[in-house]
């Protein structure tokens, strides 16, 4: 795979997801572009680090391919976001090793600034950026030229921090990112940042394996896609106490009560999300 670049295997993942439905991954790439511009504007990220965050942001909604009706984006983005957040986190942490350290960003990307963990979580700021970048893309994509990034001012302190709100407005004013999105002039910059996605041979292999894995996300055989090494009878036993799983993984989503340190608890979370 010597001739394959990092961006080649990233686009393989995107193409796999587009073969299922292009809308979530296209939204993901636009969101990643906004996030990239915001982090770059802040000025303390190396190009390779920015490229990694771009990949993570592009895949932030990967969970919806299994958990949601893709036709209803507003519902799964702003109302019932827990299912795809949990499932996306599990997908990246279990099946995409290059993004394992950042996978928890998907878990908290819609909970709001106040609920993002302030301790024992090293990507709180970047998760806040991702959250606002995503909201900005959803509303800009719907509103077009009438979109104004200042519309999020009322949500400062609850959904988004003042710092991230100011950052978005600075970038919007100085770099015209929404004009670039509206007239589809942002892809040259995307290609440029992806040139800094440097992967060794193992990393390339892991990207390609994840691309193949994505092709099975809409399979009706849920357990074959999610946990191929577990037998069906074991899954049924583990799924027995759904009330306890719901209390543990859903009702306390505003804290670190998402205790997913063991394979058992991770698997319980998947079963609850999918309601097996």
């Amino acid at each position: 795979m010597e001739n394959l670049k990092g961006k080649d295997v990233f686009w393989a993942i995107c193409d796999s997801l587009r073969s299922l439905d292009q809308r979530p991954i296209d939204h993901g790439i636009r969101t990643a572009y906004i996030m990239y511009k915001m982090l770059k504007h802040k000025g303390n990220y190396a190009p390779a680090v920015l490229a990694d965050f771009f990949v993570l942001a592009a895949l932030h909604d990967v969970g919806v391919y299994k958990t949601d009706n893709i036709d209803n984006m507003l519902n799964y983005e702003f109302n019932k976001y827990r299912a795809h957040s949990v499932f996306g986190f599990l997908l990246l942490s279990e099946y995409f090793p290059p993004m394992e350290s950042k996978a928890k960003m998907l878990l908290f990307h819609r909970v709001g600034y106040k609920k993002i963990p302030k301790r024992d979580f090293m990507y709180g700021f970047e998760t806040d950026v991702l959250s606002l970048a995503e909201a900005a893309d959803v509303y800009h994509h719907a509103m077009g030229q009438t979109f104004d990034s200042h519309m999020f001012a009322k949500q400062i302190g609850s959904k988004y921090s003042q710092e991230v709100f100011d950052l978005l407005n600075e970038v919007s004013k100085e770099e015209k990112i929404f004009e670039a999105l509206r007239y589809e002039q942002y892809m040259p910059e995307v290609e440029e940042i992806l040139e800094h996605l440097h992967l060794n041979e193992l990393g390339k292999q892991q990207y390609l394996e994840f691309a193949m894995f994505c092709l099975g996300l809409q399979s009706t055989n849920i357990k074959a896609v999610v946990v191929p090494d577990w037998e069906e009878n074991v899954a049924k036993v583990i799924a027995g106490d759904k009330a306890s799983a719901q209390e543990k993984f859903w009702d306390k989503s505003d804290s670190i009560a998402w205790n997913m340190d063991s394979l058992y608890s991770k698997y319980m979370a998947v079963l609850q999300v999918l309601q097996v």
Side-chain angles (χ1 to χ4, degrees), residues 237-261:
V237 171
I238 294 178
D241 189 359
K242 290 187 178 181
S244 175
Q246 181 168 347
E247 179 183 1
K248 186 173 184 180
F249 295 109
W250 289 63
D251 297 344
K252 299 180 181 178
S253 63
D254 58 339
S255 71
I256 300 295
W258 302 73
N259 179 20
M260 299 190 181
D261 292 335

Side-chain angles (χ1 to χ4, degrees), residues 149-267:
S149 57
H150 288 86
M151 66 183 290
F152 301 108
K154 292 182 179 180
Q155 296 173 302
I156 294 174
S158 57
K159 295 292 290 184
Y160 316 108
S161 69
Q162 181 73 56
E163 180 182 9
V164 166
F165 172 79
D166 291 341
L167 187 59
L168 177 66
N169 286 291
E170 289 172 12
V171 173
S172 176
K173 180 180 179 180
E174 296 178 18
E175 302 198 39
K176 308 295 183 183
I177 59 174
F178 294 104
E179 285 84 347
L181 286 167
R182 193 154 54 244
Y183 299 110
E184 298 186 354
Q185 297 172 342
Y186 60 100
M187 287 306 296
E189 283 188 271
V190 170
E191 293 287 347
E192 181 180 345
I193 187 57
L194 289 175
E195 289 290 344
H196 297 280
L197 183 61
H198 303 303
L199 302 174
N200 57 25
E201 292 303 296
L202 176 60
K204 294 175 186 178
Q205 178 182 338
Q206 291 168 335
Y207 266 67
L208 291 174
E209 287 176 352
F210 190 70
M212 291 185 286
F213 178 88
C214 287
L215 290 173
L217 281 177
Q218 292 183 349
S219 167
T220 57
N221 188 348
I222 293 174
K223 283 175 283 296
V225 175
V226 179
V227 278
D229 296 330
W230 285 65
E231 295 181 0
E232 185 170 348
N233 61 334
V234 177
K236 290 179 179 177
V237 171
I238 294 178
D241 189 359
K242 290 187 178 181
S244 175
Q246 181 168 347
E247 179 183 1
K248 186 173 184 180
F249 295 109
W250 289 63
D251 297 344
K252 299 180 181 178
S253 63
D254 58 339
S255 71
I256 300 295
W258 302 73
N259 179 20
M260 299 190 181
D261 292 335
S262 69
L263 180 60
Y264 176 89
S265 59
K266 290 178 182 179
Y267 192 54

Side-chain angles (χ1 to χ4, degrees), residues 2-69:
E2 292 182 2
N3 295 328
L4 280 179
K5 295 183 178 180
K7 68 176 184 179
D8 296 327
V9 289
F10 167 73
W11 289 127
I13 294 174
C14 296
D15 289 344
S16 294
L17 294 172
R18 282 198 182 100
S19 72
L20 305 178
D21 193 300
Q22 70 180 44
R23 291 170 292 180
I25 188 58
D26 286 353
H27 158 64
I29 291 170
R30 295 192 305 267
T31 297
Y33 171 73
I34 298 170
M35 181 176 180
Y36 156 66
K37 297 294 284 187
M38 292 171 71
L39 294 180
K40 183 181 179 182
H41 189 80
K42 188 169 175 60
N44 56 348
Y45 295 89
V49 174
L50 290 173
D52 279 345
F53 278 118
F54 184 95
V55 172
L56 183 284
L59 298 175
H60 76 273
D61 275 347
V62 66
V64 306
Y65 284 97
K66 176 61 75 176
T67 63
D68 291 89
N69 176 2

Side-chain angles (χ1 to χ4, degrees), residues 60-197:
H60 76 273
D61 275 347
V62 66
V64 306
Y65 284 97
K66 176 61 75 176
T67 63
D68 291 89
N69 176 2
I70 293 176
D71 291 331
N72 197 348
M73 175 182 281
L74 291 179
N75 187 53
Y76 68 71
E77 292 290 25
F78 298 113
N79 297 321
K80 297 182 178 180
Y81 54 80
R82 289 175 179 171
H84 83 269
S85 297
V86 173
F87 196 71
F89 159 68
L90 291 169
L91 285 180
L92 266 61
S93 62
E94 293 293 301
Y95 296 103
F96 196 20
M99 288 292 118
E100 182 179 4
S101 66
K102 297 180 176 65
K104 275 192 176 180
M105 290 176 63
L106 273 61
L107 196 61
F108 300 115
H109 82 284
R110 292 310 310 159
V111 301
Y113 169 68
K114 276 191 173 181
K115 296 182 179 181
I116 295 174
K118 303 301 186 289
R119 295 185 301 172
D120 303 321
F121 181 53
M122 64 185 299
Y123 297 119
F125 173 75
E126 291 83 4
T127 303
D128 190 15
V129 173
L130 173 60
S131 179
L132 184 53
E134 173 174 52
D137 179 66
V138 171
Y139 282 104
H140 173 260
H141 199 62
M143 299 170 66
Q145 291 185 344
T146 62
F147 171 79
D148 185 345
S149 57
H150 288 86
M151 66 183 290
F152 301 108
K154 292 182 179 180
Q155 296 173 302
I156 294 174
S158 57
K159 295 292 290 184
Y160 316 108
S161 69
Q162 181 73 56
E163 180 182 9
V164 166
F165 172 79
D166 291 341
L167 187 59
L168 177 66
N169 286 291
E170 289 172 12
V171 173
S172 176
K173 180 180 179 180
E174 296 178 18
E175 302 198 39
K176 308 295 183 183
I177 59 174
F178 294 104
E179 285 84 347
L181 286 167
R182 193 154 54 244
Y183 299 110
E184 298 186 354
Q185 297 172 342
Y186 60 100
M187 287 306 296
E189 283 188 271
V190 170
E191 293 287 347
E192 181 180 345
I193 187 57
L194 289 175
E195 289 290 344
H196 297 280
L197 183 61

